[in-house]
Amino acid sequence: MRIKFIAGNWKMNRTPAEAAALIDAILPLIKDAQCDAAMCVPAVDLHAARERLRSSKVMLGAQNMHWADQGAYTGELSAAMIKEAGASCVILGHSERRQYFAETDETVSKKTKAALAWGLLPIVCVGESREERLSGQTAPVVTRQTRAALDGLSSGQVSGLVIAYEPVWAIGTGLVATDEQANETIGVIRGVIRDMFSGAADSTRILYGGSMNASNAAGLLSQPEIDGGLIGGASLKAADFAAIVNAAGVSRG
Ligand code: PGA
C-alpha cells in the first residue's frame, strides 16, 4: 500500500522569518497526520525551516538544484548544499522551471540522477499544457516526460521516488483537473513506469498538483491512482494546507 504524500510548494514566497511563522502555524494543525508531508521552501529559508521542523516528521524540501556536484555555475545550488542546509527532498522539473528557466527533459533527468546519488528524494514534475490537452496530446506528453526523467535509473530507485502530475493549465489558475482526468493521466504515468520497471510501478508515489485546495482535496485523494498532492497556493495558508494533509490521512487505504 502506498502511503499518501502531501508536499507544499511555496514557490518564491516567504522570507526566512515568515517561513518560521508559517511553519509554527501549520505544525499544531497537522500533529495527528496519517500521511507523509513535506514543505518545499525557497533555498534561503531551509535553515530557519529546519530549526522549526526539527521535532516533527514533516520533511523539508528545496524547489530546484543543479546536477553538478560543484563548479562554475553562478547562482546555482548543488545537491550537497541543499542537503546540508536541511533538505531531504527536492522538486525537479516544475513546469515554471521548464517554462521560464529553460529546463528540458534532459536537464530534469540529470538532476534526478544527481538527487538520488546524494540521497535526496526527487519529486519529478510532469504535465501537459492547455494546447497539448486540447489537441489530444496529454498521454504522449506525460509519457515522453516520464520516460526521459526515469531513463537509466534502477527499479529500486524508481520505486522510492515521487512523480507529480501537474497539468500546466491547472497550476495557479483555479482550474482544477476533474478527479477522473487526474486519475486517468496518473494511470497513464503508472503504465509508463510499469512498462519500464515492472513491479516498481506499484510502489512509486504519483501526486496530483494544480489548484488543489481544502475543498477539492478529498475527492482527488480518494481516486485509486492519486497518491497525494503537490500544493502551491494553498500551502501558504496554514488552515488550508492542514486541511489537505488531514484529508489525506482520512482517505488513506
Ligand atoms: P497551485 O500550484 O496549487 O498554486 O496550482 C501547484 C504547483 O505549481 O505545484
Side-chain angles (χ1 to χ4, degrees):
M1 190 183 66
R2 300 182 295 267
I3 296 174
K4 294 240 189 304
F5 183 41
I6 304 294
N9 174 11
W10 290 15
K11 309 194 179 184
M12 196 175 74
N13 295 290
R14 304 293 183 264
T15 66
E18 291 167 349
L22 179 56
I23 291 170
D24 285 351
I26 293 172
L27 284 184
L29 305 178
I30 59 170
K31 62 182 182 345
D32 299 321
Q34 301 289 305
C35 65
D36 292 337
M39 297 182 197
C40 300
V41 305
V44 292
D45 294 355
L46 285 169
H47 189 76
R50 174 174 60 180
E51 296 309 311
R52 288 310 210 269
L53 291 175
R54 217 178 262 291
S55 59
S56 91
K57 286 185 300 202
V58 175
M59 291 173 73
L60 182 57
Q63 301 170 7
N64 178 38
M65 52 168 256
H66 199 275
W67 60 83
D69 286 352
Q70 59 193 28
Y73 299 104
T74 302
E76 291 290 321
L77 299 172
S78 71
M81 290 170 186
I82 60 170
K83 191 172 177 180
E84 195 170 317
S88 53
C89 58
V90 57
I91 298 172
L92 296 175
H94 189 281
S95 63
E96 288 151 15
R97 304 248 11 128
R98 293 179 192 252
Q99 191 178 347
Y100 306 131
F101 302 99
E103 293 228 358
T104 62
D105 286 347
E106 192 193 349
T107 59
V108 175
S109 164
K110 286 176 164 176
K111 291 179 180 199
T112 304
K113 289 194 177 80
L116 288 166
W118 282 91
L120 290 162
L121 171 66
I123 303 173
V124 180
C125 301
V126 300
E128 82 287 3
S129 67
R130 183 169 178 277
E131 295 69 35
E132 287 162 343
R133 175 159 285 265
L134 291 176
S135 60
Q137 294 301 301
T138 299
V141 167
V142 298
T143 298
R144 188 201 78 225
Q145 293 173 331
T146 306
R147 281 196 170 277
L150 304 185
D151 185 45
L153 301 182
S154 70
S155 71
Q157 287 174 316
V158 172
S159 63
L161 58 66
V162 173
I163 309 266
Y165 166 56
E166 299 206 305
V168 178
W169 48 271
I171 294 177
T173 57
L175 287 176
V176 67
T178 65
D179 300 352
E180 293 73 24
Q181 280 173 328
N183 191 64
E184 184 188 355
T185 308
I186 289 178
V188 170
I189 295 167
R190 201 176 303 286
V192 173
I193 300 175
R194 185 160 291 120
D195 205 36
M196 295 175 79
F197 302 97
S198 59
D202 296 322
S203 309
T204 308
R205 289 187 287 187
I206 311 179
L207 319 181
Y208 169 78
S211 298
M212 192 158 162
N213 59 36
S215 321
N216 59 31
L220 287 158
L221 293 169
S222 67
Q223 294 291 315
E225 295 287 3
I226 303 182
D227 300 321
L230 183 56
I231 318 300
S235 72
L236 298 169
K237 298 179 202 142
D240 291 32
F241 186 66
I244 299 168
V245 168
N246 292 324
V250 171
S251 67
R252 178 182 169 184

PDB file of all heavy atoms in Angstrom, residues 7-11 91 94-96 125 164 166-168 170-175 208-213 230-235, ligand 1:
ATOM      1  N   ALA A   7       2.873  17.446  -0.371  1.00  0.00           N
ATOM      2  CA  ALA A   7       4.037  18.334  -0.357  1.00  0.00           C
ATOM      3  C   ALA A   7       3.600  19.754  -0.702  1.00  0.00           C
ATOM      4  O   ALA A   7       2.888  19.967  -1.680  1.00  0.00           O
ATOM      5  CB  ALA A   7       5.075  17.853  -1.366  1.00  0.00           C
ATOM      6  N   GLY A   8       4.015  20.702   0.098  1.00  0.00           N
ATOM      7  CA  GLY A   8       3.759  22.118  -0.201  1.00  0.00           C
ATOM      8  C   GLY A   8       4.877  22.653  -1.083  1.00  0.00           C
ATOM      9  O   GLY A   8       6.051  22.381  -0.842  1.00  0.00           O
ATOM     10  N   ASN A   9       4.510  23.392  -2.118  1.00  0.00           N
ATOM     11  CA  ASN A   9       5.477  24.078  -2.971  1.00  0.00           C
ATOM     12  C   ASN A   9       5.268  25.566  -2.755  1.00  0.00           C
ATOM     13  O   ASN A   9       4.333  26.148  -3.299  1.00  0.00           O
ATOM     14  CB  ASN A   9       5.236  23.689  -4.438  1.00  0.00           C
ATOM     15  CG  ASN A   9       6.111  24.483  -5.393  1.00  0.00           C
ATOM     16  OD1 ASN A   9       7.032  25.183  -4.973  1.00  0.00           O
ATOM     17  ND2 ASN A   9       5.807  24.382  -6.688  1.00  0.00           N
ATOM     18  N   TRP A  10       6.139  26.148  -1.955  1.00  0.00           N
ATOM     19  CA  TRP A  10       5.952  27.556  -1.585  1.00  0.00           C
ATOM     20  C   TRP A  10       6.321  28.513  -2.717  1.00  0.00           C
ATOM     21  O   TRP A  10       6.054  29.692  -2.640  1.00  0.00           O
ATOM     22  CB  TRP A  10       6.803  27.885  -0.359  1.00  0.00           C
ATOM     23  CG  TRP A  10       6.328  27.257   0.921  1.00  0.00           C
ATOM     24  CD1 TRP A  10       5.426  26.237   1.078  1.00  0.00           C
ATOM     25  CD2 TRP A  10       6.738  27.615   2.250  1.00  0.00           C
ATOM     26  NE1 TRP A  10       5.262  25.949   2.412  1.00  0.00           N
ATOM     27  CE2 TRP A  10       6.059  26.781   3.159  1.00  0.00           C
ATOM     28  CE3 TRP A  10       7.631  28.561   2.771  1.00  0.00           C
ATOM     29  CZ2 TRP A  10       6.226  26.857   4.541  1.00  0.00           C
ATOM     30  CZ3 TRP A  10       7.807  28.640   4.135  1.00  0.00           C
ATOM     31  CH2 TRP A  10       7.106  27.808   5.012  1.00  0.00           C
ATOM     32  N   LYS A  11       7.002  28.004  -3.747  1.00  0.00           N
ATOM     33  CA  LYS A  11       7.474  28.847  -4.859  1.00  0.00           C
ATOM     34  C   LYS A  11       8.303  30.006  -4.304  1.00  0.00           C
ATOM     35  O   LYS A  11       8.985  29.831  -3.291  1.00  0.00           O
ATOM     36  CB  LYS A  11       6.291  29.288  -5.722  1.00  0.00           C
ATOM     37  CG  LYS A  11       5.425  28.082  -6.145  1.00  0.00           C
ATOM     38  CD  LYS A  11       4.451  28.373  -7.233  1.00  0.00           C
ATOM     39  CE  LYS A  11       3.680  27.092  -7.562  1.00  0.00           C
ATOM     40  NZ  LYS A  11       2.754  27.256  -8.678  1.00  0.00           N
ATOM     41  N   ILE A  91      12.022  19.331  -5.389  1.00  0.00           N
ATOM     42  CA  ILE A  91      11.159  19.366  -6.576  1.00  0.00           C
ATOM     43  C   ILE A  91      12.049  19.541  -7.807  1.00  0.00           C
ATOM     44  O   ILE A  91      12.941  20.398  -7.803  1.00  0.00           O
ATOM     45  CB  ILE A  91      10.150  20.541  -6.487  1.00  0.00           C
ATOM     46  CG1 ILE A  91       9.228  20.376  -5.283  1.00  0.00           C
ATOM     47  CG2 ILE A  91       9.342  20.659  -7.783  1.00  0.00           C
ATOM     48  CD1 ILE A  91       8.344  21.607  -5.017  1.00  0.00           C
ATOM     49  N   HIS A  94       9.733  21.339 -12.351  1.00  0.00           N
ATOM     50  CA  HIS A  94       8.423  22.005 -12.267  1.00  0.00           C
ATOM     51  C   HIS A  94       8.163  22.765 -13.568  1.00  0.00           C
ATOM     52  O   HIS A  94       9.092  23.300 -14.174  1.00  0.00           O
ATOM     53  CB  HIS A  94       8.412  22.953 -11.064  1.00  0.00           C
ATOM     54  CG  HIS A  94       7.055  23.504 -10.775  1.00  0.00           C
ATOM     55  ND1 HIS A  94       6.513  24.540 -11.496  1.00  0.00           N
ATOM     56  CD2 HIS A  94       6.120  23.134  -9.866  1.00  0.00           C
ATOM     57  CE1 HIS A  94       5.294  24.785 -11.038  1.00  0.00           C
ATOM     58  NE2 HIS A  94       5.032  23.956 -10.052  1.00  0.00           N
ATOM     59  N   SER A  95       6.917  22.847 -13.955  1.00  0.00           N
ATOM     60  CA  SER A  95       6.616  23.482 -15.249  1.00  0.00           C
ATOM     61  C   SER A  95       7.056  24.939 -15.288  1.00  0.00           C
ATOM     62  O   SER A  95       7.387  25.453 -16.357  1.00  0.00           O
ATOM     63  CB  SER A  95       5.127  23.372 -15.566  1.00  0.00           C
ATOM     64  OG  SER A  95       4.371  24.073 -14.612  1.00  0.00           O
ATOM     65  N   GLU A  96       7.074  25.613 -14.133  1.00  0.00           N
ATOM     66  CA  GLU A  96       7.562  27.003 -14.146  1.00  0.00           C
ATOM     67  C   GLU A  96       9.049  27.044 -14.453  1.00  0.00           C
ATOM     68  O   GLU A  96       9.535  27.983 -15.092  1.00  0.00           O
ATOM     69  CB  GLU A  96       7.230  27.685 -12.800  1.00  0.00           C
ATOM     70  CG  GLU A  96       5.730  27.972 -12.695  1.00  0.00           C
ATOM     71  CD  GLU A  96       5.183  27.986 -11.279  1.00  0.00           C
ATOM     72  OE1 GLU A  96       5.960  28.060 -10.313  1.00  0.00           O
ATOM     73  OE2 GLU A  96       3.943  27.911 -11.134  1.00  0.00           O
ATOM     74  N   CYS A 125       8.343  16.568 -11.664  1.00  0.00           N
ATOM     75  CA  CYS A 125       7.066  17.090 -12.188  1.00  0.00           C
ATOM     76  C   CYS A 125       6.935  16.846 -13.691  1.00  0.00           C
ATOM     77  O   CYS A 125       7.878  17.081 -14.446  1.00  0.00           O
ATOM     78  CB  CYS A 125       6.968  18.586 -11.937  1.00  0.00           C
ATOM     79  SG  CYS A 125       7.084  19.021 -10.200  1.00  0.00           S
ATOM     80  N   ALA A 164       5.108  14.037  -9.699  1.00  0.00           N
ATOM     81  CA  ALA A 164       3.939  14.901  -9.547  1.00  0.00           C
ATOM     82  C   ALA A 164       3.367  15.189 -10.923  1.00  0.00           C
ATOM     83  O   ALA A 164       4.067  15.746 -11.786  1.00  0.00           O
ATOM     84  CB  ALA A 164       4.321  16.198  -8.845  1.00  0.00           C
ATOM     85  N   GLU A 166       1.261  17.465 -12.910  1.00  0.00           N
ATOM     86  CA  GLU A 166       0.707  18.811 -12.780  1.00  0.00           C
ATOM     87  C   GLU A 166       0.348  19.358 -14.153  1.00  0.00           C
ATOM     88  O   GLU A 166       1.224  19.860 -14.876  1.00  0.00           O
ATOM     89  CB  GLU A 166       1.740  19.746 -12.127  1.00  0.00           C
ATOM     90  CG  GLU A 166       2.154  19.322 -10.746  1.00  0.00           C
ATOM     91  CD  GLU A 166       2.635  20.506  -9.919  1.00  0.00           C
ATOM     92  OE1 GLU A 166       3.546  21.225 -10.371  1.00  0.00           O
ATOM     93  OE2 GLU A 166       2.082  20.721  -8.842  1.00  0.00           O
ATOM     94  N   PRO A 167      -0.927  19.265 -14.544  1.00  0.00           N
ATOM     95  CA  PRO A 167      -1.317  19.874 -15.816  1.00  0.00           C
ATOM     96  C   PRO A 167      -1.059  21.374 -15.742  1.00  0.00           C
ATOM     97  O   PRO A 167      -1.507  22.041 -14.805  1.00  0.00           O
ATOM     98  CB  PRO A 167      -2.809  19.560 -15.922  1.00  0.00           C
ATOM     99  CG  PRO A 167      -3.249  19.061 -14.585  1.00  0.00           C
ATOM    100  CD  PRO A 167      -2.047  18.678 -13.806  1.00  0.00           C
ATOM    101  N   VAL A 168      -0.309  21.898 -16.709  1.00  0.00           N
ATOM    102  CA  VAL A 168       0.123  23.300 -16.641  1.00  0.00           C
ATOM    103  C   VAL A 168      -1.078  24.243 -16.588  1.00  0.00           C
ATOM    104  O   VAL A 168      -1.060  25.253 -15.890  1.00  0.00           O
ATOM    105  CB  VAL A 168       1.040  23.622 -17.854  1.00  0.00           C
ATOM    106  CG1 VAL A 168       1.474  25.073 -17.845  1.00  0.00           C
ATOM    107  CG2 VAL A 168       2.265  22.714 -17.848  1.00  0.00           C
ATOM    108  N   ALA A 170      -3.704  23.915 -15.046  1.00  0.00           N
ATOM    109  CA  ALA A 170      -4.381  23.903 -13.739  1.00  0.00           C
ATOM    110  C   ALA A 170      -3.553  24.583 -12.652  1.00  0.00           C
ATOM    111  O   ALA A 170      -4.044  24.774 -11.539  1.00  0.00           O
ATOM    112  CB  ALA A 170      -4.686  22.466 -13.330  1.00  0.00           C
ATOM    113  N   ILE A 171      -2.312  24.954 -12.973  1.00  0.00           N
ATOM    114  CA  ILE A 171      -1.432  25.497 -11.927  1.00  0.00           C
ATOM    115  C   ILE A 171      -1.722  26.967 -11.705  1.00  0.00           C
ATOM    116  O   ILE A 171      -1.593  27.790 -12.616  1.00  0.00           O
ATOM    117  CB  ILE A 171       0.048  25.301 -12.318  1.00  0.00           C
ATOM    118  CG1 ILE A 171       0.381  23.808 -12.347  1.00  0.00           C
ATOM    119  CG2 ILE A 171       0.961  26.040 -11.339  1.00  0.00           C
ATOM    120  CD1 ILE A 171       1.789  23.500 -12.797  1.00  0.00           C
ATOM    121  N   GLY A 172      -2.135  27.295 -10.499  1.00  0.00           N
ATOM    122  CA  GLY A 172      -2.347  28.679 -10.111  1.00  0.00           C
ATOM    123  C   GLY A 172      -3.512  29.348 -10.819  1.00  0.00           C
ATOM    124  O   GLY A 172      -3.664  30.568 -10.770  1.00  0.00           O
ATOM    125  N   THR A 173      -4.330  28.572 -11.501  1.00  0.00           N
ATOM    126  CA  THR A 173      -5.402  29.155 -12.309  1.00  0.00           C
ATOM    127  C   THR A 173      -6.768  28.992 -11.663  1.00  0.00           C
ATOM    128  O   THR A 173      -7.738  29.613 -12.097  1.00  0.00           O
ATOM    129  CB  THR A 173      -5.473  28.451 -13.684  1.00  0.00           C
ATOM    130  OG1 THR A 173      -5.670  27.045 -13.448  1.00  0.00           O
ATOM    131  CG2 THR A 173      -4.211  28.661 -14.480  1.00  0.00           C
ATOM    132  N   GLY A 174      -6.863  28.114 -10.667  1.00  0.00           N
ATOM    133  CA  GLY A 174      -8.164  27.787 -10.110  1.00  0.00           C
ATOM    134  C   GLY A 174      -8.901  26.755 -10.946  1.00  0.00           C
ATOM    135  O   GLY A 174      -9.963  26.273 -10.572  1.00  0.00           O
ATOM    136  N   LEU A 175      -8.327  26.405 -12.117  1.00  0.00           N
ATOM    137  CA  LEU A 175      -8.938  25.376 -12.977  1.00  0.00           C
ATOM    138  C   LEU A 175      -8.369  24.022 -12.589  1.00  0.00           C
ATOM    139  O   LEU A 175      -7.320  23.624 -13.077  1.00  0.00           O
ATOM    140  CB  LEU A 175      -8.557  25.616 -14.437  1.00  0.00           C
ATOM    141  CG  LEU A 175      -9.185  26.761 -15.185  1.00  0.00           C
ATOM    142  CD1 LEU A 175      -8.564  26.843 -16.571  1.00  0.00           C
ATOM    143  CD2 LEU A 175     -10.691  26.535 -15.283  1.00  0.00           C
ATOM    144  N   TYR A 208      -0.956  14.439  -7.562  1.00  0.00           N
ATOM    145  CA  TYR A 208      -1.598  15.414  -8.445  1.00  0.00           C
ATOM    146  C   TYR A 208      -1.235  16.814  -7.947  1.00  0.00           C
ATOM    147  O   TYR A 208      -1.174  17.044  -6.730  1.00  0.00           O
ATOM    148  CB  TYR A 208      -3.133  15.249  -8.446  1.00  0.00           C
ATOM    149  CG  TYR A 208      -3.771  16.431  -9.140  1.00  0.00           C
ATOM    150  CD1 TYR A 208      -3.776  16.511 -10.526  1.00  0.00           C
ATOM    151  CD2 TYR A 208      -4.289  17.501  -8.403  1.00  0.00           C
ATOM    152  CE1 TYR A 208      -4.284  17.628 -11.173  1.00  0.00           C
ATOM    153  CE2 TYR A 208      -4.804  18.625  -9.043  1.00  0.00           C
ATOM    154  CZ  TYR A 208      -4.797  18.678 -10.429  1.00  0.00           C
ATOM    155  OH  TYR A 208      -5.277  19.784 -11.063  1.00  0.00           O
ATOM    156  N   GLY A 209      -1.037  17.750  -8.863  1.00  0.00           N
ATOM    157  CA  GLY A 209      -0.834  19.151  -8.474  1.00  0.00           C
ATOM    158  C   GLY A 209      -1.503  20.071  -9.469  1.00  0.00           C
ATOM    159  O   GLY A 209      -1.535  19.785 -10.670  1.00  0.00           O
ATOM    160  N   GLY A 210      -2.033  21.189  -8.987  1.00  0.00           N
ATOM    161  CA  GLY A 210      -2.703  22.164  -9.849  1.00  0.00           C
ATOM    162  C   GLY A 210      -4.016  22.583  -9.231  1.00  0.00           C
ATOM    163  O   GLY A 210      -5.017  21.887  -9.336  1.00  0.00           O
ATOM    164  N   SER A 211      -3.968  23.728  -8.507  1.00  0.00           N
ATOM    165  CA  SER A 211      -5.175  24.292  -7.867  1.00  0.00           C
ATOM    166  C   SER A 211      -5.844  23.307  -6.904  1.00  0.00           C
ATOM    167  O   SER A 211      -7.061  23.340  -6.729  1.00  0.00           O
ATOM    168  CB  SER A 211      -6.168  24.803  -8.916  1.00  0.00           C
ATOM    169  OG  SER A 211      -5.585  25.859  -9.669  1.00  0.00           O
ATOM    170  N   MET A 212      -5.055  22.441  -6.289  1.00  0.00           N
ATOM    171  CA  MET A 212      -5.620  21.560  -5.265  1.00  0.00           C
ATOM    172  C   MET A 212      -5.777  22.391  -3.989  1.00  0.00           C
ATOM    173  O   MET A 212      -4.888  23.160  -3.631  1.00  0.00           O
ATOM    174  CB  MET A 212      -4.674  20.384  -5.023  1.00  0.00           C
ATOM    175  CG  MET A 212      -5.261  19.267  -4.215  1.00  0.00           C
ATOM    176  SD  MET A 212      -4.300  17.759  -4.589  1.00  0.00           S
ATOM    177  CE  MET A 212      -4.726  16.751  -3.223  1.00  0.00           C
ATOM    178  N   ASN A 213      -6.922  22.259  -3.355  1.00  0.00           N
ATOM    179  CA  ASN A 213      -7.171  23.091  -2.172  1.00  0.00           C
ATOM    180  C   ASN A 213      -7.987  22.319  -1.140  1.00  0.00           C
ATOM    181  O   ASN A 213      -8.292  21.124  -1.324  1.00  0.00           O
ATOM    182  CB  ASN A 213      -7.879  24.395  -2.581  1.00  0.00           C
ATOM    183  CG  ASN A 213      -9.211  24.141  -3.271  1.00  0.00           C
ATOM    184  OD1 ASN A 213      -9.937  23.207  -2.933  1.00  0.00           O
ATOM    185  ND2 ASN A 213      -9.524  24.970  -4.258  1.00  0.00           N
ATOM    186  N   LEU A 230       0.787  17.895  -4.750  1.00  0.00           N
ATOM    187  CA  LEU A 230       1.802  18.946  -4.689  1.00  0.00           C
ATOM    188  C   LEU A 230       1.022  20.255  -4.683  1.00  0.00           C
ATOM    189  O   LEU A 230       0.326  20.575  -5.651  1.00  0.00           O
ATOM    190  CB  LEU A 230       2.764  18.854  -5.886  1.00  0.00           C
ATOM    191  CG  LEU A 230       3.924  19.855  -5.902  1.00  0.00           C
ATOM    192  CD1 LEU A 230       4.768  19.782  -4.632  1.00  0.00           C
ATOM    193  CD2 LEU A 230       4.820  19.624  -7.118  1.00  0.00           C
ATOM    194  N   ILE A 231       1.116  20.970  -3.587  1.00  0.00           N
ATOM    195  CA  ILE A 231       0.206  22.066  -3.306  1.00  0.00           C
ATOM    196  C   ILE A 231       0.934  23.402  -3.392  1.00  0.00           C
ATOM    197  O   ILE A 231       1.892  23.620  -2.637  1.00  0.00           O
ATOM    198  CB  ILE A 231      -0.369  21.932  -1.867  1.00  0.00           C
ATOM    199  CG1 ILE A 231      -0.739  20.478  -1.523  1.00  0.00           C
ATOM    200  CG2 ILE A 231      -1.542  22.883  -1.672  1.00  0.00           C
ATOM    201  CD1 ILE A 231      -1.780  19.848  -2.400  1.00  0.00           C
ATOM    202  N   GLY A 232       0.508  24.290  -4.286  1.00  0.00           N
ATOM    203  CA  GLY A 232       1.128  25.610  -4.398  1.00  0.00           C
ATOM    204  C   GLY A 232       0.445  26.607  -3.486  1.00  0.00           C
ATOM    205  O   GLY A 232       0.709  26.667  -2.287  1.00  0.00           O
ATOM    206  N   GLY A 233      -0.467  27.390  -4.052  1.00  0.00           N
ATOM    207  CA  GLY A 233      -1.111  28.482  -3.320  1.00  0.00           C
ATOM    208  C   GLY A 233      -1.644  28.085  -1.950  1.00  0.00           C
ATOM    209  O   GLY A 233      -1.431  28.803  -0.952  1.00  0.00           O
ATOM    210  N   ALA A 234      -2.312  26.947  -1.863  1.00  0.00           N
ATOM    211  CA  ALA A 234      -2.934  26.557  -0.596  1.00  0.00           C
ATOM    212  C   ALA A 234      -1.907  26.144   0.460  1.00  0.00           C
ATOM    213  O   ALA A 234      -2.244  26.069   1.650  1.00  0.00           O
ATOM    214  CB  ALA A 234      -3.934  25.421  -0.832  1.00  0.00           C
ATOM    215  N   SER A 235      -0.646  25.925   0.053  1.00  0.00           N
ATOM    216  CA  SER A 235       0.357  25.537   1.058  1.00  0.00           C
ATOM    217  C   SER A 235       0.844  26.736   1.850  1.00  0.00           C
ATOM    218  O   SER A 235       1.560  26.588   2.837  1.00  0.00           O
ATOM    219  CB  SER A 235       1.546  24.827   0.389  1.00  0.00           C
ATOM    220  OG  SER A 235       2.336  25.732  -0.352  1.00  0.00           O
TER     221      SER A 235
HETATM  222  P1  PGA B   1      -1.103  25.613  -7.320  1.00  0.00           P
HETATM  223  O1  PGA B   1       0.416  25.195  -7.694  1.00  0.00           O
HETATM  224  O2  PGA B   1      -1.542  24.657  -6.244  1.00  0.00           O
HETATM  225  O3  PGA B   1      -0.988  27.029  -6.823  1.00  0.00           O
HETATM  226  O4  PGA B   1      -1.911  25.490  -8.564  1.00  0.00           O
HETATM  227  C1  PGA B   1       0.797  23.853  -7.740  1.00  0.00           C
HETATM  228  C2  PGA B   1       2.230  23.775  -8.183  1.00  0.00           C
HETATM  229  O5  PGA B   1       2.632  24.549  -9.056  1.00  0.00           O
HETATM  230  O6  PGA B   1       2.994  22.934  -7.665  1.00  0.00           O
END
